[in-house]
Amino acid sequence: MDESIYLDEARDPLIIAEGWMKDGKDVAIATVVETWGSAPRPVGSHLVIDAEGNFHGSVSGGCVEGAVVAEAIDVIDSGKAKMLEFGVADETAWQVGLSCGGRIKVYVERLG
């Protein structure tokens, strides 16, 4: 079994988020909740974001992270969770680079 596929404490987004919160940072978490077709990351993948736009993890292999980070900062400010959807038929997805032929649904919520 390939041990490199498992996250250690230095790379696990949930542990990173916990550390940021202990440091007094406001944090949001984005989670892939649904995928269709050719999706770059599986359901359950996480991206954690702080109020300054720092992030760790991945929900799309890099192709929509910028858009998710921007939405997450809004979620941190408002406290209201959002459901985001990106797909090849979505003009926004082309703008941010999700042209892999699939669709992903990402839930973004503030922690704490």
Side-chain angles (χ1 to χ4, degrees):
M1 183 176 285
D2 183 4
E3 295 297 322
S4 67
I5 63 170
Y6 297 102
L7 293 175
D8 59 26
E9 288 190 13
R11 294 182 293 170
D12 186 327
L14 301 178
I15 293 172
I16 300 285
E18 183 178 38
W20 287 354
M21 290 173 65
K22 285 181 181 175
D23 291 343
K25 294 183 178 186
D26 292 325
V27 179
I29 186 163
T31 306
V32 176
V33 294
E34 285 186 53
T35 64
W36 298 268
S38 177
R41 301 285 294 140
V43 168
S45 296
H46 297 291
L47 178 70
V48 295
I49 307 97
D50 72 9
E52 287 78 48
N54 298 304
F55 62 93
H56 184 84
S58 177
V59 291
S60 70
C63 53
V64 301
E65 261 74 6
V68 173
V69 168
E71 292 287 350
I73 291 170
D74 288 344
V75 166
I76 289 170
D77 290 343
S78 72
K80 295 180 182 175
K82 291 184 180 181
M83 184 70 74
L84 309 175
E85 193 170 327
F86 300 96
V88 72
D90 183 347
E91 184 177 320
T92 303
W94 280 102
Q95 291 169 0
V96 297
L98 187 64
S99 56
C100 56
R103 296 180 68 78
I104 61 172
K105 204 177 261 193
V106 179
Y107 184 69
V108 183
E109 61 188 317
R110 183 180 171 139
L111 297 178

